[in-house]
Amino acid sequence: MARVVCFGELLLRLSAPGREKLLQSPQLDARIGGAEANVGVSLAHFGHQVAAVSTVADNALGEAAAGELRRHGLDTAGVRKVAGRMGLYFLAPGAIHRPAEVLYDRAGSAFALAPADAYDWPALLQGADWLHLSGVTPALGANTAATALAAARAARQLGVKVSFDGNFRPKLWEVWQGDARAILSELMAEADLLFADYRDMGVVLGGQYPQAEPLARIEAAAADAFAAFPHLRWIACTIREPRNVDAHALSGVLVGRDSGTALAPQEEVGPIVDRIGGGDAFAAGVLHGLIHGWAPERTIRFGLAAGCLKHSIPGDFNLVSEADVEALVGEGRYDVKR
């Protein structure tokens, strides 16, 4: 097993109960989440040593967020507590033909305001095999963009592999008019493993991918990424085909610089319980396979199965074990467990 450091904002998720619209009734369900934390929790359930690095408010909300990570086995010694506020997001779950809606309330959070020199990366990355980052962090502002880049560069210098999920969030970049293309390009240049598709590469590299089939677009974008980023070894993504809000079809693609393309066949997913964190569960599954040195085909099948299972679990976290995921990949996967 590996030691993985995950850096990003811990969030308080406030969602309407059931399938209601926000404040249709005067109540909200509270959970803890965040893209990088979601990956870390999943990896911890797969048996890895995971350390969270973040900044939270020095109050009951911040303690609850850090405490929830500890409950799932994460090391939170790298989670700073300072005066300020927690980042929030509000979720109105979708249903049938009404899509889900996310509203962010993250501006001025303790994490967003933390200066880049608040983190001692040589110390925080000591003993680590991987550092996981996502594009959500630099989208929050100049401070977090500088911090994410400092973390990635420190990892590269220390021989720690870097996993980066593009997670392009245009609403967040627009708030501060950040140069998403330049900043994401710098971060991707440090990555060994990149979670991105042809749309992300279009944003970062300016490429056009007019191919008729999604797989052909992904392979063309991956070729551009390998040419642009010499450290990059792997690029992975899902292909999602929504039937409606409650039912999707998912497949997975893993492209290696030296090994070509591996494809996980399409799975029908639905009725969906909660799709938030599905991409993070997929990322954790792929990272788990690469850590073990599995063949690309086994790795992408495991990653897709992990992502599919997340759609059955309420909240941001994918609370399944390696054995649970392997059962979905194998035979008799829908039998009652006795």
Side-chain angles (χ1 to χ4, degrees):
M1 295 299 176
R3 178 171 176 80
V4 183
V5 174
C6 296
F7 171 64
E9 185 167 28
L10 303 181
L11 295 170
L12 186 64
R13 161 178 156 173
L14 301 171
S15 56
R19 297 300 186 89
E20 294 184 9
K21 294 173 69 65
L22 280 173
L23 297 181
Q24 182 176 331
S25 59
Q27 54 186 328
L28 293 168
D29 293 331
R31 297 180 184 270
I32 304 301
E36 302 82 4
N38 297 343
V39 172
V41 168
S42 189
L43 288 171
H45 280 271
F46 293 155
H48 298 283
Q49 296 179 18
V50 182
V53 177
S54 190
T55 296
V56 298
D58 189 11
N59 57 30
L61 298 180
E63 179 54 41
E68 183 69 3
L69 295 191
R70 288 194 295 272
R71 190 168 75 85
H72 292 286
L74 276 69
D75 177 357
T76 61
V79 177
R80 304 169 61 247
K81 296 178 183 178
V82 302
R85 60 171 296 240
M86 289 292 294
L88 312 175
Y89 81 93
F90 297 84
L91 173 67
I96 309 175
H97 300 298
R98 174 172 58 83
E101 183 178 6
V102 169
L103 301 176
Y104 290 116
D105 181 16
R106 305 173 69 164
S109 69
F111 179 84
L113 296 179
D117 62 3
Y119 303 93
D120 182 353
W121 289 112
L124 292 166
L125 292 169
Q126 186 174 7
D129 299 291
W130 284 85
L131 167 69
H132 180 72
L133 305 166
S134 91
V136 177
T137 297
L140 295 174
N143 282 351
T144 54
T147 305
L149 189 55
R153 287 175 173 167
R156 174 66 53 197
Q157 292 175 355
L158 293 167
V160 177
K161 294 183 178 69
V162 177
S163 165
F164 184 74
D165 191 333
N167 270 343
F168 182 56
R169 299 288 187 268
K171 289 182 181 179
L172 295 176
W173 287 100
E174 289 166 7
V175 170
W176 65 289
Q177 297 299 303
D179 188 345
R181 181 173 182 177
I183 294 170
L184 291 175
S185 180
E186 286 189 282
L187 282 161
M188 290 180 180
E190 304 298 337
D192 298 89
L193 168 62
L194 178 60
F195 296 97
D197 63 13
Y198 60 91
R199 290 163 293 192
D200 297 300
M201 290 300 98
V203 170
V204 175
L205 300 179
Q208 300 294 318
Y209 305 104
Q211 293 84 357
E213 296 299 322
L215 180 58
R217 293 178 217 150
I218 291 165
E219 289 180 320
D224 287 350
F226 290 133
F229 308 126
H231 295 304
L232 186 64
R233 309 306 303 169
W234 302 94
I235 185 166
C237 68
T238 57
I239 301 174
R240 183 182 293 268
E241 296 181 13
R243 311 306 192 202
N244 57 46
V245 170
D246 293 319
H248 295 179
L250 288 175
S251 55
V253 182
L254 177 63
V255 185
R257 179 182 290 272
D258 303 317
S259 61
T261 301
L263 179 67
Q266 190 175 78
E267 291 275 359
E268 295 290 335
V269 180
I272 294 170
V273 174
D274 191 335
R275 66 166 285 187
I276 301 297
D280 302 321
F282 168 77
V286 170
L287 185 53
H288 179 67
L290 293 178
I291 287 170
H292 279 295
W294 291 347
E297 290 76 13
R298 181 181 179 188
T299 296
I300 193 60
R301 284 176 177 267
F302 186 92
L304 181 66
C308 289
L309 282 173
K310 170 60 196 71
H311 290 68
S312 71
I313 298 173
D316 280 36
F317 298 156
N318 194 26
L319 307 179
V320 298
S321 68
E322 180 186 61
D324 293 328
V325 181
E326 291 283 22
L328 180 57
V329 175
E331 299 296 328
R333 55 187 180 168
Y334 300 127
D335 292 344
V336 176
K337 296 181 179 179
R338 302 183 187 277

Short mmCIF file of all heavy atoms in Angstrom, two decimals, residues 190-235:
data_model
loop_
_atom_site.label_atom_id
_atom_site.label_comp_id
_atom_site.label_asym_id
_atom_site.label_seq_id
_atom_site.Cartn_x
_atom_site.Cartn_y
_atom_site.Cartn_z
N GLU A 190 3.38 19.19 -14.14
CA GLU A 190 4.03 18.48 -13.04
C GLU A 190 3.42 17.10 -12.80
O GLU A 190 3.91 16.35 -11.96
CB GLU A 190 3.92 19.30 -11.75
CG GLU A 190 4.49 20.72 -11.84
CD GLU A 190 5.97 20.75 -12.14
OE1 GLU A 190 6.67 19.76 -11.85
OE2 GLU A 190 6.45 21.78 -12.67
N ALA A 191 2.34 16.76 -13.51
CA ALA A 191 1.58 15.55 -13.20
C ALA A 191 2.17 14.30 -13.85
O ALA A 191 2.63 14.33 -15.00
CB ALA A 191 0.14 15.72 -13.63
N ASP A 192 2.11 13.20 -13.11
CA ASP A 192 2.38 11.87 -13.66
C ASP A 192 1.08 11.24 -14.17
O ASP A 192 1.09 10.50 -15.15
CB ASP A 192 2.99 10.96 -12.59
CG ASP A 192 4.31 11.46 -12.07
OD1 ASP A 192 4.31 12.25 -11.11
OD2 ASP A 192 5.35 11.08 -12.63
N LEU A 193 0.01 11.52 -13.46
CA LEU A 193 -1.31 10.98 -13.76
C LEU A 193 -2.28 12.14 -13.85
O LEU A 193 -2.36 12.97 -12.95
CB LEU A 193 -1.74 10.00 -12.66
CG LEU A 193 -3.21 9.54 -12.63
CD1 LEU A 193 -3.57 8.78 -13.90
CD2 LEU A 193 -3.46 8.68 -11.39
N LEU A 194 -3.04 12.19 -14.94
CA LEU A 194 -3.96 13.29 -15.18
C LEU A 194 -5.36 12.74 -15.43
O LEU A 194 -5.54 11.84 -16.26
CB LEU A 194 -3.49 14.11 -16.39
CG LEU A 194 -4.34 15.29 -16.84
CD1 LEU A 194 -4.48 16.32 -15.73
CD2 LEU A 194 -3.74 15.92 -18.09
N PHE A 195 -6.33 13.27 -14.70
CA PHE A 195 -7.73 12.96 -14.95
C PHE A 195 -8.33 14.12 -15.73
O PHE A 195 -8.54 15.21 -15.19
CB PHE A 195 -8.48 12.72 -13.63
CG PHE A 195 -7.97 11.52 -12.88
CD1 PHE A 195 -7.06 11.67 -11.84
CD2 PHE A 195 -8.39 10.24 -13.22
CE1 PHE A 195 -6.58 10.56 -11.16
CE2 PHE A 195 -7.91 9.13 -12.54
CZ PHE A 195 -7.01 9.29 -11.52
N ALA A 196 -8.56 13.89 -17.01
CA ALA A 196 -9.05 14.95 -17.89
C ALA A 196 -9.57 14.32 -19.17
O ALA A 196 -9.18 13.20 -19.52
CB ALA A 196 -7.92 15.94 -18.21
N ASP A 197 -10.44 15.04 -19.87
CA ASP A 197 -10.91 14.57 -21.16
C ASP A 197 -10.61 15.62 -22.22
O ASP A 197 -9.88 16.59 -21.97
CB ASP A 197 -12.40 14.21 -21.11
CG ASP A 197 -13.30 15.39 -20.81
OD1 ASP A 197 -12.83 16.56 -20.86
OD2 ASP A 197 -14.50 15.18 -20.53
N TYR A 198 -11.16 15.44 -23.41
CA TYR A 198 -10.84 16.34 -24.52
C TYR A 198 -11.33 17.76 -24.27
O TYR A 198 -10.74 18.72 -24.77
CB TYR A 198 -11.42 15.79 -25.82
CG TYR A 198 -12.92 15.62 -25.82
CD1 TYR A 198 -13.76 16.64 -26.25
CD2 TYR A 198 -13.51 14.43 -25.40
CE1 TYR A 198 -15.14 16.49 -26.25
CE2 TYR A 198 -14.87 14.26 -25.40
CZ TYR A 198 -15.68 15.29 -25.82
OH TYR A 198 -17.05 15.14 -25.82
N ARG A 199 -12.38 17.92 -23.46
CA ARG A 199 -12.85 19.28 -23.15
C ARG A 199 -11.84 20.01 -22.27
O ARG A 199 -11.57 21.20 -22.46
CB ARG A 199 -14.23 19.22 -22.48
CG ARG A 199 -15.33 18.80 -23.44
CD ARG A 199 -16.57 18.34 -22.74
NE ARG A 199 -16.32 17.11 -22.00
CZ ARG A 199 -17.30 16.35 -21.48
NH1 ARG A 199 -18.56 16.70 -21.61
NH2 ARG A 199 -17.01 15.24 -20.82
N ASP A 200 -11.27 19.31 -21.28
CA ASP A 200 -10.23 19.91 -20.45
C ASP A 200 -9.02 20.29 -21.29
O ASP A 200 -8.44 21.37 -21.12
CB ASP A 200 -9.80 18.93 -19.35
CG ASP A 200 -10.93 18.60 -18.40
OD1 ASP A 200 -11.46 19.52 -17.76
OD2 ASP A 200 -11.28 17.42 -18.31
N MET A 201 -8.62 19.41 -22.19
CA MET A 201 -7.47 19.71 -23.04
C MET A 201 -7.75 20.85 -23.99
O MET A 201 -6.86 21.63 -24.35
CB MET A 201 -7.06 18.46 -23.82
CG MET A 201 -6.44 17.36 -22.97
SD MET A 201 -4.92 17.88 -22.12
CE MET A 201 -5.55 18.27 -20.49
N GLY A 202 -9.01 20.99 -24.39
CA GLY A 202 -9.38 22.13 -25.21
C GLY A 202 -9.20 23.44 -24.46
O GLY A 202 -8.71 24.43 -25.02
N VAL A 203 -9.55 23.45 -23.17
CA VAL A 203 -9.37 24.64 -22.34
C VAL A 203 -7.89 24.96 -22.16
O VAL A 203 -7.45 26.11 -22.30
CB VAL A 203 -10.05 24.46 -20.96
CG1 VAL A 203 -9.66 25.59 -20.01
CG2 VAL A 203 -11.56 24.40 -21.11
N VAL A 204 -7.10 23.93 -21.86
CA VAL A 204 -5.70 24.15 -21.47
C VAL A 204 -4.77 24.31 -22.68
O VAL A 204 -3.89 25.18 -22.68
CB VAL A 204 -5.21 22.99 -20.57
CG1 VAL A 204 -3.74 23.12 -20.26
CG2 VAL A 204 -6.02 22.96 -19.28
N LEU A 205 -4.96 23.49 -23.69
CA LEU A 205 -4.05 23.49 -24.83
C LEU A 205 -4.64 24.17 -26.07
O LEU A 205 -3.93 24.37 -27.05
CB LEU A 205 -3.64 22.06 -25.18
CG LEU A 205 -2.92 21.28 -24.07
CD1 LEU A 205 -2.60 19.87 -24.54
CD2 LEU A 205 -1.64 22.00 -23.65
N GLY A 206 -5.93 24.48 -26.01
CA GLY A 206 -6.55 25.16 -27.14
C GLY A 206 -6.81 24.27 -28.33
O GLY A 206 -7.10 24.75 -29.43
N GLY A 207 -6.72 22.96 -28.14
CA GLY A 207 -6.92 22.03 -29.25
C GLY A 207 -8.39 21.89 -29.63
O GLY A 207 -9.29 22.13 -28.82
N GLN A 208 -8.62 21.51 -30.86
CA GLN A 208 -9.96 21.22 -31.36
C GLN A 208 -10.05 19.72 -31.65
O GLN A 208 -9.15 19.16 -32.27
CB GLN A 208 -10.25 22.01 -32.64
CG GLN A 208 -10.16 23.52 -32.46
CD GLN A 208 -11.25 24.06 -31.54
OE1 GLN A 208 -12.39 23.63 -31.62
NE2 GLN A 208 -10.89 24.98 -30.65
N TYR A 209 -11.14 19.11 -31.21
CA TYR A 209 -11.28 17.67 -31.35
C TYR A 209 -12.63 17.35 -32.00
O TYR A 209 -13.61 17.06 -31.32
CB TYR A 209 -11.13 16.99 -29.99
CG TYR A 209 -9.83 17.38 -29.32
CD1 TYR A 209 -9.79 18.29 -28.27
CD2 TYR A 209 -8.62 16.88 -29.81
CE1 TYR A 209 -8.59 18.67 -27.70
CE2 TYR A 209 -7.41 17.25 -29.25
CZ TYR A 209 -7.40 18.15 -28.19
OH TYR A 209 -6.20 18.54 -27.65
N PRO A 210 -12.66 17.41 -33.33
CA PRO A 210 -13.92 17.24 -34.06
C PRO A 210 -14.29 15.80 -34.37
O PRO A 210 -15.27 15.55 -35.06
CB PRO A 210 -13.64 18.01 -35.35
CG PRO A 210 -12.17 17.79 -35.59
CD PRO A 210 -11.54 17.75 -34.21
N GLN A 211 -13.51 14.85 -33.87
CA GLN A 211 -13.77 13.44 -34.19
C GLN A 211 -15.21 13.07 -33.79
O GLN A 211 -15.76 13.57 -32.81
CB GLN A 211 -12.79 12.53 -33.46
CG GLN A 211 -11.34 12.66 -33.93
CD GLN A 211 -10.60 13.82 -33.28
OE1 GLN A 211 -11.17 14.57 -32.49
NE2 GLN A 211 -9.32 13.95 -33.57
N ALA A 212 -15.79 12.16 -34.53
CA ALA A 212 -17.19 11.81 -34.33
C ALA A 212 -17.42 11.05 -33.02
O ALA A 212 -18.43 11.27 -32.34
CB ALA A 212 -17.70 10.97 -35.51
N GLU A 213 -16.48 10.19 -32.62
CA GLU A 213 -16.66 9.35 -31.45
C GLU A 213 -15.89 9.91 -30.25
O GLU A 213 -14.76 10.37 -30.40
CB GLU A 213 -16.18 7.92 -31.74
CG GLU A 213 -16.98 7.21 -32.81
CD GLU A 213 -18.44 7.06 -32.43
OE1 GLU A 213 -18.71 6.81 -31.22
OE2 GLU A 213 -19.29 7.21 -33.32
N PRO A 214 -16.50 9.85 -29.04
CA PRO A 214 -15.80 10.34 -27.84
C PRO A 214 -14.44 9.71 -27.62
O PRO A 214 -13.49 10.39 -27.23
CB PRO A 214 -16.78 10.00 -26.71
CG PRO A 214 -18.11 9.95 -27.36
CD PRO A 214 -17.87 9.42 -28.74
N LEU A 215 -14.31 8.40 -27.86
CA LEU A 215 -13.02 7.73 -27.63
C LEU A 215 -11.95 8.31 -28.55
O LEU A 215 -10.81 8.52 -28.11
CB LEU A 215 -13.16 6.23 -27.86
CG LEU A 215 -11.88 5.41 -27.66
CD1 LEU A 215 -11.33 5.59 -26.25
CD2 LEU A 215 -12.14 3.93 -27.94
N ALA A 216 -12.28 8.59 -29.78
CA ALA A 216 -11.31 9.17 -30.71
C ALA A 216 -10.90 10.57 -30.25
O ALA A 216 -9.73 10.95 -30.36
CB ALA A 216 -11.89 9.22 -32.12
N ARG A 217 -11.83 11.33 -29.72
CA ARG A 217 -11.50 12.67 -29.19
C ARG A 217 -10.56 12.56 -28.00
O ARG A 217 -9.60 13.33 -27.86
CB ARG A 217 -12.78 13.40 -28.78
CG ARG A 217 -13.71 13.77 -29.92
CD ARG A 217 -14.96 14.44 -29.40
NE ARG A 217 -16.11 14.03 -30.19
CZ ARG A 217 -17.35 13.94 -29.72
NH1 ARG A 217 -17.61 14.21 -28.45
NH2 ARG A 217 -18.34 13.58 -30.51
N ILE A 218 -10.84 11.59 -27.13
CA ILE A 218 -10.01 11.41 -25.93
C ILE A 218 -8.59 11.01 -26.33
O ILE A 218 -7.60 11.54 -25.79
CB ILE A 218 -10.64 10.35 -25.01
CG1 ILE A 218 -11.94 10.91 -24.40
CG2 ILE A 218 -9.67 9.93 -23.91
CD1 ILE A 218 -12.82 9.84 -23.76
N GLU A 219 -8.47 10.09 -27.28
CA GLU A 219 -7.14 9.66 -27.70
C GLU A 219 -6.37 10.79 -28.38
O GLU A 219 -5.15 10.94 -28.17
CB GLU A 219 -7.27 8.46 -28.64
CG GLU A 219 -7.72 7.19 -27.91
CD GLU A 219 -7.85 5.99 -28.83
OE1 GLU A 219 -8.34 6.17 -29.97
OE2 GLU A 219 -7.45 4.89 -28.42
N ALA A 220 -7.05 11.62 -29.15
CA ALA A 220 -6.37 12.77 -29.77
C ALA A 220 -5.93 13.78 -28.71
O ALA A 220 -4.82 14.33 -28.79
CB ALA A 220 -7.30 13.43 -30.78
N ALA A 221 -6.79 14.03 -27.73
CA ALA A 221 -6.44 14.95 -26.64
C ALA A 221 -5.29 14.40 -25.82
O ALA A 221 -4.40 15.15 -25.39
CB ALA A 221 -7.66 15.20 -25.77
N ALA A 222 -5.28 13.08 -25.58
CA ALA A 222 -4.20 12.47 -24.82
C ALA A 222 -2.87 12.60 -25.55
O ALA A 222 -1.83 12.88 -24.93
CB ALA A 222 -4.51 10.99 -24.56
N ALA A 223 -2.89 12.46 -26.86
CA ALA A 223 -1.66 12.63 -27.64
C ALA A 223 -1.13 14.05 -27.50
O ALA A 223 0.09 14.25 -27.35
CB ALA A 223 -1.92 12.31 -29.11
N ASP A 224 -2.02 15.03 -27.52
CA ASP A 224 -1.60 16.42 -27.33
C ASP A 224 -1.03 16.62 -25.92
O ASP A 224 -0.04 17.34 -25.74
CB ASP A 224 -2.77 17.37 -27.55
CG ASP A 224 -3.16 17.51 -29.01
OD1 ASP A 224 -2.40 17.03 -29.88
OD2 ASP A 224 -4.22 18.11 -29.29
N ALA A 225 -1.67 15.99 -24.92
CA ALA A 225 -1.20 16.14 -23.54
C ALA A 225 0.18 15.53 -23.35
O ALA A 225 1.06 16.12 -22.70
CB ALA A 225 -2.21 15.50 -22.58
N PHE A 226 0.40 14.34 -23.92
CA PHE A 226 1.71 13.70 -23.79
C PHE A 226 2.79 14.54 -24.49
O PHE A 226 3.94 14.61 -24.02
CB PHE A 226 1.68 12.30 -24.37
CG PHE A 226 0.89 11.31 -23.56
CD1 PHE A 226 -0.02 10.46 -24.17
CD2 PHE A 226 1.04 11.23 -22.18
CE1 PHE A 226 -0.75 9.54 -23.44
CE2 PHE A 226 0.31 10.33 -21.43
CZ PHE A 226 -0.59 9.48 -22.06
N ALA A 227 2.44 15.18 -25.59
CA ALA A 227 3.41 16.02 -26.29
C ALA A 227 3.73 17.28 -25.50
O ALA A 227 4.86 17.77 -25.50
CB ALA A 227 2.87 16.38 -27.68
N ALA A 228 2.72 17.82 -24.82
CA ALA A 228 2.90 19.09 -24.09
C ALA A 228 3.55 18.90 -22.73
O ALA A 228 4.25 19.80 -22.24
CB ALA A 228 1.55 19.78 -23.92
N PHE A 229 3.32 17.74 -22.08
CA PHE A 229 3.75 17.54 -20.70
C PHE A 229 4.65 16.31 -20.61
O PHE A 229 4.16 15.18 -20.48
CB PHE A 229 2.52 17.38 -19.79
CG PHE A 229 1.51 18.48 -19.94
CD1 PHE A 229 0.17 18.19 -20.21
CD2 PHE A 229 1.87 19.81 -19.82
CE1 PHE A 229 -0.76 19.19 -20.34
CE2 PHE A 229 0.95 20.83 -19.95
CZ PHE A 229 -0.38 20.52 -20.22
N PRO A 230 5.96 16.48 -20.63
CA PRO A 230 6.90 15.34 -20.67
C PRO A 230 6.83 14.41 -19.47
O PRO A 230 7.15 13.22 -19.60
CB PRO A 230 8.27 16.03 -20.76
CG PRO A 230 8.00 17.38 -21.31
CD PRO A 230 6.65 17.77 -20.79
N HIS A 231 6.43 14.92 -18.29
CA HIS A 231 6.37 14.07 -17.10
C HIS A 231 5.14 13.16 -17.11
O HIS A 231 5.08 12.19 -16.34
CB HIS A 231 6.35 14.91 -15.82
CG HIS A 231 7.60 15.70 -15.60
ND1 HIS A 231 8.85 15.12 -15.53
CD2 HIS A 231 7.80 17.04 -15.42
CE1 HIS A 231 9.77 16.06 -15.32
NE2 HIS A 231 9.15 17.23 -15.26
N LEU A 232 4.15 13.49 -17.90
CA LEU A 232 2.87 12.78 -17.87
C LEU A 232 3.01 11.36 -18.38
O LEU A 232 3.53 11.13 -19.47
CB LEU A 232 1.84 13.55 -18.70
CG LEU A 232 0.40 13.03 -18.66
CD1 LEU A 232 -0.18 13.12 -17.26
CD2 LEU A 232 -0.47 13.82 -19.65
N ARG A 233 2.51 10.38 -17.59
CA ARG A 233 2.57 8.97 -17.98
C ARG A 233 1.19 8.40 -18.31
O ARG A 233 1.07 7.49 -19.13
CB ARG A 233 3.19 8.12 -16.85
CG ARG A 233 4.51 8.64 -16.31
CD ARG A 233 5.56 8.85 -17.37
NE ARG A 233 5.84 7.65 -18.15
CZ ARG A 233 6.57 7.63 -19.26
NH1 ARG A 233 7.07 8.77 -19.74
NH2 ARG A 233 6.79 6.50 -19.90
N TRP A 234 0.16 8.90 -17.64
CA TRP A 234 -1.18 8.34 -17.78
C TRP A 234 -2.21 9.46 -17.85
O TRP A 234 -2.07 10.48 -17.17
CB TRP A 234 -1.53 7.44 -16.59
CG TRP A 234 -0.61 6.30 -16.35
CD1 TRP A 234 0.47 6.27 -15.50
CD2 TRP A 234 -0.67 5.00 -16.95
NE1 TRP A 234 1.08 5.05 -15.55
CE2 TRP A 234 0.39 4.24 -16.44
CE3 TRP A 234 -1.53 4.41 -17.88
CZ2 TRP A 234 0.62 2.93 -16.80
CZ3 TRP A 234 -1.31 3.11 -18.26
CH2 TRP A 234 -0.24 2.37 -17.71
N ILE A 235 -3.27 9.24 -18.62
CA ILE A 235 -4.42 10.14 -18.62
C ILE A 235 -5.67 9.28 -18.62
O ILE A 235 -5.76 8.29 -19.36
CB ILE A 235 -4.37 11.12 -19.82
CG1 ILE A 235 -5.52 12.14 -19.74
CG2 ILE A 235 -4.37 10.40 -21.14
CD1 ILE A 235 -5.34 13.32 -20.69
#
